[in-house]
Every structure is written in structure tokens, then in C-alpha cells.
Amino acid sequence: MEKYDNKVLKTVLITHFSALGDVAMAIPIVYPVCVANPKVNFVLATCQAPATMFVNRPSNLTVLGVDLDKYKMLCGPGRLARNLQHRYNFDAMADLHSTLRTWLMKRSLKRRGVTVATIDKGSSEKKLLTSVKSRTPVTTIHERYRNVFRQLGLKTGEEFNSIIDYGGEIDSPMVPVKAAGERWIAIAPFSQHKGKVYPLEQMRLVIASLSTMENCHIFLFGGGKEEREALDPIMRRYSNVTSVVHIKHSLADELALMRHCNVMVTMDSANMHLASLVALPVVSVWGATHPSCGFMGWHQAMRDTVRLELECRPCSVYGNKKCRYGDYHCMRDISPELIINKVKKVLQRND
């Protein structure tokens, strides 16, 4: 068993209550850590939706999808920590989120003798990127996650390649039979923030062009009623385009489908990180944000990114700030041809 300050670690709590993409970025670090420390039991507490994507997880990793509505107000996190501690008896806590919620959980657990390690988000470094427009990359989020486990004296394990390596192929009834020589292109045109979304009217031109390629089928990814309605006319127009949004499915189904695709076009969004979990090459489109902020997809190639080197970008670390010019030209000025050519290069490279 691992030791920290002469303390044997038997059970470690991992906390990450962030959005889907942020939690997905933790998997390439968490899985190898679990494998490298087989005598330690790990319990990862996250939100309910992200909990469903932890497929093929190591046998010593338990994933809890917490209903945060049951733990509201300032007393809620402490109560959650006490409930989990009573159930699992943690020796240490690895905080991969570092918010008020996890701070309150840490305070409660520290009183009970639990050792705590917390992520250094590097907020000041990232702010510098958006204020002086430095292009010097900051420490990646993956390395920041890894450093949390190092603080606890845990081994970080071998390099992660794909979630498939931890349990084999993911079975899903949603994945159709792929014909020999057929190429599947996944396209996820949406993101939570406008500064990270390529205009849909321009993405339609990308889809129209790619749909003319021989032996090609396109799968459109998204979620929610609004995105489903936006994709509906596109799906109806092209016989070789399928909208995954229109099919009832889970995150495991999405990962299974991505596993069989040849390339994905997506924003700086959760889908870039989901694709990275199955080693799917991604042509990522960047607007207000920038790869140097540390949120590049795991093992994704910088040469496959699509972005304009403008004086005003990056203007936001997370893409949630309004465009100072009001037109988001960092996205609008990207030509469909630029994205199309990147996709074709990836396909040629992997043929």
C-alpha cells in the first residue's frame, strides 16, 4: 500500500463536480493511477451525468454519481463528506476541482484526520494569456490532475492511450455495421459558450462538402431539444448523414460510436475530450479560447487544430466572455474549406 507522511493509504476520495468535458479530461490520469496503485481503493464522486462515462474502469475504482440537489446550501457539502466518510472511511482526498463545494468537503474531512491534496488551477497564469495575449503554454490540465496524486505519494502509472485498453471494446446497439472501406466522420458543432461555437450556417457547408466524399457517412453529435431541432434539417437533407441526437442513447453508446469513427470535427468542447478517450483523431476548431490555456484534448495533434492567429485572442480561458467586437470574427472568419482540408488530411494520414 502507498504511504503519505508514514500513513498507509487504503481508500482515497477523488472529487470532481465540474462539467462533462472537465471530468472526461481526468480519466486519462485517474485510470493509470488506479492501475498503478492496486492495493488502494479509489472512490470518485462527481455529478450524475459524467458518472455514466466511466466505462471499462479499473476494479479498484468506484464512481459515484451524486445528486447535488440533496446537498445544497453551505451545510450540504459537509454533510456529503460526512456521509461518504461514514460509508468508505477515507484516508486521503484528491480534489481535482477546487471550488467552494470541495473546500467545504475538505474542511469536514480534515477534522476527521483525512489527508487532502488539491489541484493548482493556475488561474493567474491563464489570466495572463488573455490579458497580454502571451502564447506561452501553461501547464496542461492533465499534468495538474497528475500532480494532485503525486502530492499524496501515489504512483501515476503508465501513459494512457484509450479507454478500450482497460476492458475491451464497448458494446452498443447504436453502432451500425461498418462496411469495408467506409469512412465515418463525427461532427459535434455545438458548445456551451458562444465564443467556442463555429456558426452553424458555415458548418452546414462543411457537412455538405464532406457528404459528397465516396464511402463516407457522417454522424452528428449534440444534446438537448434546441440542438436536435437545429440538426434535424441537415439530417433530412443528406442520405449519408445521421443525427445521433435523435437516437436515445447513453454516453457509453457515444464512446462506442466514436471508437469506430475515423475522425471527429468538434469545438473546444466536451466532445473533443470524449473522442480522446477512444483515441479518435480530432479536428478541433478554436475561437475565443486557445490550446495554450491547457485544455487541449489528450494526445490530440496541434497540427489538426483550426484557429486564426488574431491579436484579440485568446480573450477567454473558458469561452464564456462576450466578444468585445460583437461579431465573434475569430470563428466567423474561419473558412469552411480550412476545416474540410484538415479533415481530408487526417483521413489520408490514417488510410
Side-chain angles (χ1 to χ4, degrees), residues 48-243:
Q48 291 180 306
T52 63
M53 71 178 161
F54 284 81
V55 298
N56 289 354
R57 61 180 176 268
S59 59
N60 59 335
L61 173 62
T62 299
V63 179
L64 303 177
V66 179
D67 183 359
L68 294 179
D69 287 337
K70 296 180 179 180
Y71 301 96
K72 292 182 176 180
M73 311 298 288
L74 285 177
C75 62
R79 184 160 52 86
L80 172 60
R82 290 191 298 273
N83 289 349
L84 293 177
Q85 178 66 357
H86 177 74
R87 183 176 176 185
Y88 294 101
N89 191 26
F90 302 113
D91 305 294
M93 173 179 172
D95 180 13
L96 304 185
H97 197 189
S98 188
T99 60
L100 177 60
R101 176 181 288 112
T102 56
W103 183 85
L104 291 170
M105 290 181 70
K106 287 183 292 187
R107 187 176 68 169
S108 176
L109 292 176
K110 279 183 177 180
R111 291 172 179 170
R112 290 160 175 79
V114 175
T115 300
V116 172
T118 304
I119 187 172
D120 174 10
K121 291 184 175 180
S123 300
S124 58
E125 303 169 49
K126 294 171 185 175
K127 186 176 180 180
L128 193 63
L129 284 172
T130 61
S131 59
V132 300
K133 302 302 178 292
S134 167
R135 296 297 188 270
T136 303
V138 302
T139 303
T140 68
I141 189 65
H142 300 103
E143 190 62 19
R144 294 181 188 278
Y145 288 151
R146 191 180 278 123
N147 285 336
V148 176
F149 295 105
R150 286 176 178 147
Q151 290 177 52
L152 295 175
L154 293 164
K155 299 174 185 176
T156 55
E158 297 181 358
E159 195 77 352
F160 178 96
N161 177 54
S162 169
I163 208 167
I164 305 303
D165 298 337
Y166 292 83
E169 297 293 341
I170 307 168
D171 294 326
S172 170
M174 189 178 75
V175 182
V177 177
K178 188 175 186 180
E182 191 176 18
R183 293 175 294 182
W184 289 1
I185 300 174
I187 298 180
F190 304 108
S191 184
Q192 182 180 0
H193 303 298
K194 191 172 181 179
K196 299 200 292 185
V197 179
Y198 189 59
L200 190 57
E201 60 270 19
Q202 290 168 247
M203 186 60 81
R204 286 195 187 101
L205 298 177
V206 173
I207 296 170
S209 177
L210 295 177
S211 68
T212 64
M213 294 175 59
E214 189 176 358
N215 296 325
C216 172
H217 196 95
I218 296 174
F219 293 93
L220 305 178
F221 287 75
K225 181 180 178 182
E226 190 173 323
E227 293 181 8
R228 183 170 62 249
E229 291 176 351
L231 294 178
D232 188 66
I234 300 176
M235 180 189 69
R236 294 179 183 279
R237 183 169 182 177
Y238 305 101
S239 59
N240 60 340
V241 174
T242 300
S243 172

Side-chain angles (χ1 to χ4, degrees), residues 287-320:
T289 59
H290 196 282
S292 61
C293 293
F295 298 108
M296 184 70 172
W298 179 259
H299 283 183
Q300 294 298 336
M302 196 65 71
R303 60 181 171 178
D304 296 333
T305 61
V306 178
R307 50 200 166 93
L308 301 178
E309 295 300 337
L310 303 174
E311 181 277 331
C312 60
R313 63 174 297 271
C315 64
S316 173
V317 174
Y318 305 106
N320 54 347

Side-chain angles (χ1 to χ4, degrees), residues 281-351:
V282 172
V283 172
S284 54
V285 185
W286 300 73
T289 59
H290 196 282
S292 61
C293 293
F295 298 108
M296 184 70 172
W298 179 259
H299 283 183
Q300 294 298 336
M302 196 65 71
R303 60 181 171 178
D304 296 333
T305 61
V306 178
R307 50 200 166 93
L308 301 178
E309 295 300 337
L310 303 174
E311 181 277 331
C312 60
R313 63 174 297 271
C315 64
S316 173
V317 174
Y318 305 106
N320 54 347
K321 293 183 179 179
K322 289 185 178 180
C323 174
R324 72 182 71 172
Y325 303 107
D327 60 357
Y328 295 94
H329 61 281
C330 58
M331 278 294 193
R332 293 192 175 277
D333 288 354
I334 295 175
S335 69
E337 290 74 24
L338 187 55
I339 299 174
I340 294 165
N341 290 335
K342 288 276 187 178
V343 172
K344 290 180 176 178
K345 285 181 180 179
V346 173
L347 291 174
Q348 291 170 2
R349 194 166 70 226
N350 297 321
D351 275 347

